[in-house]
């Protein structure tokens, strides 16, 4: 397959006249020459790398079947480190296929935020029939949560600890100590949760911290620094209040979902400006839908809203492409149009940052057209 003409978005978020992109065996084989291949003429079109969703629950939150489909929170106990997102993903869930209509080709999906420790996320493609064949990174992060959600699920609904933010931090800290002891004690009794948490202790994957309020963001940073762990700050609703703290921490942010109502107290200061304020300060930022909060195909819209509210256009593009890929640790395969990377593309009729009627007319995953309008 050969994508000819049009423009493509480079790694820096800049537009480049497309000299031709050759696709072979699901990879980008060459950029910059003419080939006698099956040609897709992209004249007048914009070629994006397939968009990367850094935080969602698609495939675990099955939107069509009601409460029985809400399989993203195992809320029996505040600590559920043994749960793995990959074991709960239904690749036939409609949200997975819907993603293709918006050019989203990679998603990082996993447990919700009911638990202090919820289990591992999984990074995968948005086309396929078996998760094991779609997966890019089987365990991409360990989900943790601060604030209202664990307090509501346990202190509110189940009338048991944690009732307070203090206890959330204590439970997390205590489990980290247990995981360190487990690592150091060669005669330990096998424990699936502590075994899974070793990837965090060994800095193979980050803690993925659900944190909206500024004080919860600070607590996540404090604990990660205390144990020298990798961390991503997810949601970061009040991140604009503590920009210097976040910047100085060196941790990256996955911001959103900024579109929609304020469904709880933690969201009262939600703003479209947060992503841009953080990025303009030098923080690496990705933008999320938190699907199914915002349907996954609307990830480009979320980037557009950030751009319209102060984020530089290049940063908004990168927030759903290369930045998102780097933050979740899959930049060697996706997130930019470069030789030897996966041949994932979102081809648009115009720039969604500028035109309300812009739409994705073709989505290519691993070198195969998986969604198409007339091009």
């Amino acid at each position: 397959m050969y994508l000819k003409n049009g423009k493509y978005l480079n790694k820096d978020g800049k537009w480049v006249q497309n000299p031709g992109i050759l696709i072979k065996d699901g990879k980008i084989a060459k950029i910059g020459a003419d080939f006698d291949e099956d040609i897709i003429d992209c004249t007048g079109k914009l070629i994006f790398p397939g968009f990367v969703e850094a935080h969602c629950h698609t495939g675990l939150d099955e939107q069509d079947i009601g409460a029985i489909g809400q399989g993203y929170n195992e809320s029996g106990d505040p600590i559920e480190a043994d749960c793995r997102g990959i074991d709960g993903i239904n690749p036939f869930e409609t949200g997975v296929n819907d993603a293709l209509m918006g050019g989203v080709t990679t998603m990082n999906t996993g447990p919700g935020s009911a638990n202090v420790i919820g289990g591992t996320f999984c990074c995968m493609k948005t086309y396929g029939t078996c998760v094991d064949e779609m997966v890019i990174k089987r365990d991409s992060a360990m989900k943790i949560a601060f604030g209202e959600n664990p307090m509501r699920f346990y202190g509110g609904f189940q009338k048991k600890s944690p009732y307070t933010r203090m206890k959330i931090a204590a439970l997390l800290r205590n489990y980290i100590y247990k995981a360190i002891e487990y690592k150091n004690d060669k005669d330990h009794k096998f424990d699936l949760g502590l075994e899974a948490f070793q990837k965090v202790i060994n800095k193979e994957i980050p803690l993925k911290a659900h944190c909206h309020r500024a004080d919860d963001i600070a607590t996540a940073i404090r604990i990660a620094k205390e144990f020298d762990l990798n961390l991503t700050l997810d949601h970061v609703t009040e991140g604009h209040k503590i920009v210097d703290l976040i910047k100085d921490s060196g941790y990256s942010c996955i911001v959103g979902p900024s579109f929609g109502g304020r469904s709880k107290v933690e969201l009262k200061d939600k703003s479209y400006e947060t992503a841009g304020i953080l990025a303009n300060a030098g923080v690496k930022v990705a933008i999320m839908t938190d699907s199914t909060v915002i349907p996954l195909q609307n990830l480009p819209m979320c980037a557009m809203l950030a751009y319209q509210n102060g984020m530089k256009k290049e940063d908004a593009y990168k927030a759903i492409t290369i930045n998102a890929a780097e933050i979740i640790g899959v930049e060697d395969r996706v997130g930019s149009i470069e030789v030897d990377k996966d041949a994932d593309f979102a081809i648009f009729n115009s720039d969604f940052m500028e035109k309300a009627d812009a739409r994705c007319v073709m989505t290519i995953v691993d070198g195969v057209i998986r969604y198409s309008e007339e091009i």
Side-chain angles (χ1 to χ4, degrees):
M1 184 185 295
Y2 181 61
L3 303 183
K4 185 176 182 180
N5 301 321
K7 295 179 180 180
Y8 77 90
L9 190 76
N10 70 11
K11 189 175 182 178
D12 298 320
K14 304 286 188 180
W15 288 108
V16 178
Q17 194 64 40
N18 177 29
I21 301 171
L22 178 66
I23 300 169
K24 280 191 178 296
D25 300 322
K27 298 287 186 179
I28 299 172
K30 197 166 185 177
I31 299 173
D34 207 351
F35 296 92
D36 184 18
E37 301 285 339
D38 294 332
I39 293 174
I40 297 177
D41 187 358
C42 300
T43 300
K45 306 298 190 296
L46 299 177
I47 306 169
F48 294 88
F51 299 133
V52 180
E53 166 62 71
H55 177 128
C56 70
H57 310 287
T58 301
L60 293 99
D61 184 4
E62 300 186 52
Q63 58 189 352
D64 302 310
I65 58 176
I68 194 64
Q70 294 178 0
Y72 54 98
N73 280 317
E74 178 56 51
S75 53
D77 187 86
I79 306 295
E80 298 285 2
D82 56 346
C83 290
R84 303 175 76 199
I86 192 171
D87 295 325
I89 298 166
N90 176 8
F92 295 99
E93 193 268 311
T94 55
V96 180
N97 184 67
D98 288 349
L100 297 172
M101 295 189 295
V104 180
T105 58
T106 297
M107 65 177 185
N108 197 34
T109 187
S113 50
N115 306 300
V116 176
I117 302 176
T120 51
F121 263 57
C122 170
C123 183
M124 57 185 283
K125 296 296 180 75
T126 56
Y127 182 86
T129 58
C130 175
V131 174
D132 300 276
E133 297 168 355
M134 301 160 72
V135 70
I136 299 175
K137 195 170 187 180
R138 193 171 298 270
D139 297 318
S140 57
M142 178 67 72
K143 181 68 180 292
I144 61 174
F146 298 88
E148 286 186 37
N149 284 13
M151 290 191 296
R152 183 174 70 251
F153 270 89
Y154 294 100
F157 297 157
Q158 298 190 28
K159 306 302 180 186
K160 68 178 185 180
S161 184
Y163 293 92
T164 65
R165 283 178 162 84
M166 292 186 297
K167 190 60 175 179
I168 290 171
L171 288 169
L172 175 59
R173 188 177 277 112
N174 186 59
Y175 198 79
I176 296 172
Y177 275 118
K178 284 184 178 180
I180 294 170
E181 290 177 356
Y182 185 87
K183 177 181 179 178
N184 294 333
D185 179 8
K186 303 307 179 185
D187 296 322
H188 61 245
K189 182 179 178 181
F190 181 83
D191 181 283
L192 188 58
L194 291 170
E195 194 71 29
F197 212 84
Q198 294 309 299
K199 288 190 175 183
V200 176
I201 300 302
N202 295 330
K203 302 180 79 168
E204 298 170 40
I205 63 173
L207 291 170
K208 189 174 184 64
H210 166 107
C211 47
H212 287 284
R213 231 168 64 170
D215 56 338
D216 290 326
I217 298 168
T219 300
I221 292 171
R222 183 183 314 116
I223 292 175
K225 291 290 185 182
E226 179 180 336
F227 293 98
D228 187 28
L229 302 175
N230 292 334
L231 173 76
T232 67
L233 299 165
D234 293 44
H235 300 300
V236 206
T237 301
E238 294 187 2
H240 54 277
K241 296 182 178 182
I242 50 171
V243 176
D244 290 342
L245 176 66
I246 293 172
K247 180 181 178 181
D248 291 346
S249 77
Y251 294 128
S252 299
C253 292
I254 303 172
V255 179
S258 300
F259 183 79
R262 294 171 173 84
S263 58
K264 53 186 176 180
V265 175
E266 287 179 337
L267 304 182
K268 66 182 180 65
D269 293 324
K270 183 167 71 169
S271 170
Y272 293 127
E273 297 178 2
T274 302
I277 290 171
L278 290 167
N280 293 341
V283 176
K284 182 175 287 187
V285 172
I287 288 172
M288 68 152 106
T289 62
D290 202 19
S291 174
T292 56
V293 177
I294 301 171
L296 195 51
Q297 65 267 32
N298 292 313
L299 182 60
M301 177 197 72
C302 297
M304 175 270 292
L305 289 168
Y307 165 59
Q308 290 186 345
N309 287 271
M311 197 176 203
K312 295 174 184 175
K313 185 186 284 190
E314 293 85 356
D315 288 336
Y317 287 140
K318 290 164 70 175
I320 59 172
T321 55
I322 190 61
N323 277 11
E326 289 176 349
I327 289 171
I328 60 180
V330 292
E331 72 277 10
D332 60 325
R333 288 188 56 181
V334 300
S336 60
I337 298 174
E338 298 180 85
V339 172
D340 293 331
K341 286 198 173 185
D342 294 1
D344 296 348
F345 303 95
I347 302 174
F348 274 67
N349 65 342
S350 57
D351 189 352
F352 59 83
M353 294 287 187
E354 303 288 351
K355 294 188 176 182
D357 61 350
R359 67 186 187 279
C360 181
V361 296
M362 179 176 289
T363 302
I364 298 171
V365 183
D366 294 327
V368 180
I369 298 169
R370 297 303 185 185
Y371 169 79
S372 180
E373 287 188 2
E374 251 340 287
I375 192 168

